[in-house]
Amino acid sequence: MLVFYKERLTLLSVPKTGSTAYQTALRDRADIVVSGPPDLKHAPVRRYDRFFQNIFRKMFDTEMEIMAVVREPIDWLGSWYRYRHRPALTGSPTSTEGISFDEFVKAYMKGTRPAFADVGSQSQFFITRSNGVGATHVFKYEHQDKIIAFLEERLDTKIILNRENASPAMPLPLSSKIEERFRRKFASEFDLHKSAR
């Protein structure tokens, strides 16, 4: 999470959407940098609103606009799958080693997910509190040019991004039957991505 007080903008970090690269590029420009622990770095809208936004309301009588990035849902799951496939996790309950992408997506669709598929939800990240404020600017991950242009103009600074915390490349075949079921069951994830810039 990055807070730019003068510009009244907070960049929330949806996991697996390139947030680490933006933190590295803009940490010296931000007024507040929350890089850990993960529950704070990746605070969803409702948690941010309850704690951080409340500070700005009560102390400064102002509200920050909220910006975030979302990824196409199957691509987002693929990034999690690849990230959890790395050798450092071998033997861990969160490892996807020895598990196909089909099996990973099927496990994600279960009511109670096994540890390796328990990766949260992009649409849940954006749920607001009953009296809270939602995200103002939501960009598609694949529109990096729009994200950079928006931030460069808003922050009046040049941004140079380096690839960080990237998942290893690998093919991710997904059967059409499982994809169809996933698209039906998680339509809200696709609606969120479609509504982003």
Side-chain angles (χ1 to χ4, degrees):
M1 178 195 310
L2 297 171
V3 177
F4 307 95
Y5 181 74
K6 187 177 81 172
E7 292 80 11
R8 302 296 192 267
L9 181 70
T10 296
L11 173 55
L12 293 185
S13 299
V14 179
K16 307 312 295 169
T17 61
S19 57
T20 302
Y22 280 96
Q23 282 211 350
T24 299
L26 293 169
R27 69 181 312 114
D28 293 338
R29 176 66 179 72
D31 296 298
I32 300 172
V33 177
V34 181
S35 56
D39 284 349
L40 287 181
K41 175 186 177 181
H42 297 294
V45 168
R46 65 185 171 276
R47 187 176 305 140
Y48 167 80
D49 187 62
R50 182 174 176 199
F51 297 105
F52 293 89
Q53 190 79 285
N54 242 354
I55 293 170
F56 298 117
R57 285 187 194 117
K58 290 181 178 179
M59 291 184 68
F60 307 108
D61 194 29
T62 192
E63 285 203 8
M64 311 296 278
E65 291 180 16
I66 298 171
M67 176 190 171
V69 177
V70 295
R71 198 164 178 163
E72 191 280 329
I74 295 171
D75 184 45
W76 184 74
L77 280 183
S79 182
W80 271 114
Y81 173 84
R82 292 190 316 272
Y83 184 71
R84 291 188 163 189
H85 201 81
R86 61 196 202 284
L89 290 180
T90 298
S92 161
T94 59
S95 175
T96 56
E97 187 178 10
I99 296 164
S100 71
F101 190 50
D102 271 357
E103 291 170 320
F104 178 77
V105 175
K106 283 197 313 194
Y108 182 82
M109 290 191 282
K110 290 183 177 178
T112 302
R113 297 174 182 143
F116 68 84
D118 192 10
V119 296
S121 155
Q122 291 185 105
S123 63
Q124 292 291 310
F125 186 97
F126 289 90
I127 291 176
T128 60
R129 297 190 312 144
S130 58
N131 61 344
V133 176
T136 320
H137 311 281
V138 182
F139 290 88
K140 289 180 170 81
Y141 171 82
E142 57 270 27
H143 291 170
Q144 292 296 317
D145 55 337
K146 289 184 181 180
I147 299 167
I148 290 171
F150 174 81
L151 286 169
E152 285 185 340
E153 182 179 339
R154 186 72 178 256
L155 304 176
D156 191 27
T157 191
K158 186 76 180 152
I159 297 173
I160 298 170
L161 282 186
N162 294 314
R163 195 169 157 86
E164 294 194 34
N165 204 22
S167 303
M170 64 177 66
L172 296 175
L174 182 62
S175 76
S176 56
K177 187 177 177 182
I178 292 171
E179 179 178 341
E180 185 182 325
R181 194 171 134 219
F182 175 70
R183 286 180 179 276
R184 245 189 352 261
K185 188 166 184 175
F186 292 92
S188 61
E189 302 293 324
F190 292 92
D191 291 343
L192 169 66
H193 181 258
K194 187 178 178 182
S195 69
R197 298 189 209 179

